[in-house]
Amino acid sequence: MKGYLARNGYNLAASALAIVAMWVAWIIAYAATGNDYLVPSFGQTAQKFFALFASGYFWSAFGATLSRTLVAFCISFVLGALCAAAGTLLPVFAHFLRPVVAVFRTLPTMAVLLLILVWASPVSAPVIVTVLVLFPVIYSQLTSAVSGVDAGLLEMAKAYRLTFRQKLTGIYVPHVAPLALAQTGTNLSFGIKLTVSAEVMAHTYVALGGLMSESQLYYDMPQLAALTVCAVLAGLIVEFIFRTAAKYAFPWRRGEEI
Amino acid sequence: MIRIVNLSKSYGEKKVYDAFSLDIEQGKVLCILGESGCGKTTLLNVIAGLTDYSGEVPALRTSYVFSTPRLVPNLTVRGNLALVGADRGEAERLLALVGLEGFGDRYPSQLSDGQAQRVALCRAFLFPSDIMLLDEPFSSLDLKVKLAVMQVFFRLRESRPFTALAVTHDVDEALYLADRIVVLSDGKICGDFKNSPCGTFGADSPLRGQIMSLLLV
């Protein structure tokens, strides 16, 4: 712990300073506006934030939002991995996918959500929107990870006539896995943000976004801010867990920043 | 005898080999010397099937020692040797022979350059091949480590003779290791010498002067 602090002391201090700066900016914004409906006070927000933890309904909504994010992430990951693998094996498939992925990447999320809501329920629409946004991101990350496999190793594999399975399990998967795990945290965090936004638009019941929408309807700004803080914290915690896991889960690169 | 007949190979407009032929005696080490860009590595890649060509080159099972170790980073030393089908007992015996006893559980990132290159040599030696190809395997090592690894190579060939084709631009390396030394220039053989591998670096061989004069033309 002492060694860790010595190595990362300045970085930790810089991060702490950023948090303090954001907190001070909040206080200044509150003081400048002097209006609880525009910027809620920090004290009231903190009070609402801790009150949320005692509410069973909040936990159901929080769990439902996280579940939707997880389902959307899993669908996107499986689709992205299958397409990246197919594109590596068949370059023509990668060319076929290129415009499709480009269109998915530039889709205006909220417009698509409104279209989807015509035929999908407010419960499934956020999942569909999150998949539409996450899939091209994950596909691009995996494709770039696969193309980053050391060409020298592949030449060695060819010279020693390694089988496809040996190359897959010995070279490709171990190269891609640490990168994929490190990016999973960022993708899940992004997924939470997307799902919550879609839930707000879709007025999904039993959802973090639904609660936010409700708070906005009743001008309960401290509650809205407290729910936003919850979503931000959930994203940060998920990112931290996966980044740490990626650092220590692979013994051949233990402790390396990925 | 391994026969390469009428090999032709070009990179775009540049012809590296044009009707090139070479016989490689089995159980011997043939060393190819030549300046950079004369086609030494291309010849190894042709034999290993890593590049296209025209001409007659027998389909061989090859083991290849590259100028860098090219060990799989996520596999331990033992895992890297097992990847090419090495028997565990044989792998341990060989690791001991090259001075890496007890290194089996280490990852490549935990090895020095010299240790990693010794593992690469073991991998090539353990793979059941018809010919071992060596592409300047000692060039990235400092002199002390280079000598240690070359001694390992010498020890390995004494423990079990094998057919090898090594390319280098270092005359001393060739004199140290090879039974035969071929000097290449512009994709053609300009010198062919029989050598008694001395196992000593920088030895005062009568061939040294002749080879140097060809290389300096």
Side-chain angles (χ1 to χ4, degrees), chain A residues 150-156 158-162 166 169-171 174-175 251-253 256, chain B residues 48-50 60-64 66 70-74 83-84 107 109 120 123-124 127:
Chain A
D150 183 356
L153 276 185
L154 295 178
E155 212 172 51
M156 180 281 295
K158 196 172 176 194
Y160 282 97
R161 301 191 184 171
L162 299 188
Q166 281 175 313
T169 57
I171 298 175
H175 175 80
W252 64 93
R253 54 192 310 175
E256 269 180 60
Chain B
L50 299 181
L60 301 166
R61 270 172 81 89
T62 58
S63 53
Y64 204 142
F66 300 90
R70 299 199 191 178
L71 300 176
V72 180
N74 47 283
L83 188 68
V84 297
Y107 287 98
S109 60
R123 177 176 64 188
F127 185 68

Side-chain angles (χ1 to χ4, degrees), chain A residues 101-139:
Chain A
V101 170
V103 168
F104 274 37
R105 201 181 291 129
T106 50
L107 277 178
T109 319
M110 292 307 139
V112 171
L113 177 69
L114 293 175
L115 283 173
I116 289 170
L117 276 172
V118 173
W119 52 268
S121 73
V123 172
S124 56
V127 175
I128 299 170
V129 168
T130 307
V131 169
L132 287 176
V133 178
L134 276 189
F135 160 70
V137 174
I138 293 175
Y139 168 76

Side-chain angles (χ1 to χ4, degrees), chain B residues 53-161:
Chain B
Y53 59 89
S54 62
E56 288 171 41
V57 178
L60 301 166
R61 270 172 81 89
T62 58
S63 53
Y64 204 142
V65 183
F66 300 90
S67 50
T68 52
R70 299 199 191 178
L71 300 176
V72 180
N74 47 283
L75 295 177
T76 58
V77 166
R78 204 173 281 127
N80 268 281
L81 300 180
L83 188 68
V84 297
D87 168 72
R88 189 175 169 145
E90 179 76 355
E92 295 297 336
R93 191 189 67 76
L94 206 62
L95 283 174
L97 190 71
V98 301
L100 292 176
E101 201 167 13
F103 281 67
D105 290 326
R106 292 206 190 178
Y107 287 98
S109 60
Q110 297 168 317
L111 302 174
S112 68
D113 291 348
Q115 288 167 339
Q117 197 62 338
R118 275 184 271 170
V119 176
L121 263 179
C122 288
R123 177 176 64 188
F125 195 73
L126 287 165
F127 185 68
S129 64
D130 301 313
I131 185 166
M132 188 191 292
L133 307 170
L134 300 105
D135 183 12
E136 306 194 17
F138 317 114
S139 62
S140 62
L141 308 174
D142 64 54
L143 188 62
K144 200 173 160 194
V145 178
K146 180 196 234 183
L147 281 173
V149 180
M150 283 170 70
Q151 272 164 15
V152 165
F153 182 84
F154 208 75
R155 230 178 293 154
L156 287 176
R157 66 166 292 183
E158 284 197 327
S159 75
R160 193 187 79 195

Side-chain angles (χ1 to χ4, degrees), chain A residues 14-141:
Chain A
S15 300
L17 193 67
I19 292 168
V20 171
M22 286 189 278
W23 178 65
V24 170
W26 185 345
I27 306 276
I28 292 171
Y30 176 68
T33 56
N35 185 336
D36 278 341
Y37 290 110
L38 288 178
V39 181
S41 80
F42 180 77
Q44 275 180 308
T45 305
Q47 213 175 357
K48 287 278 184 181
F49 177 76
F50 290 111
L52 284 176
F53 296 138
S55 153
Y57 187 76
F58 164 75
W59 286 113
S60 306
F62 188 66
T65 297
L66 284 189
S67 309
R68 272 182 214 111
T69 307
L70 202 63
V71 168
F73 171 80
C74 291
I75 295 171
S76 311
F77 188 85
V78 170
L79 269 178
L82 287 176
C83 290
T88 305
L89 292 172
L90 278 173
V92 69
F93 185 69
H95 286 285
F96 168 78
L97 271 181
R98 198 174 289 165
V100 178
V101 170
V103 168
F104 274 37
R105 201 181 291 129
T106 50
L107 277 178
T109 319
M110 292 307 139
V112 171
L113 177 69
L114 293 175
L115 283 173
I116 289 170
L117 276 172
V118 173
W119 52 268
S121 73
V123 172
S124 56
V127 175
I128 299 170
V129 168
T130 307
V131 169
L132 287 176
V133 178
L134 276 189
F135 160 70
V137 174
I138 293 175
Y139 168 76
S140 304
Q141 287 169 347

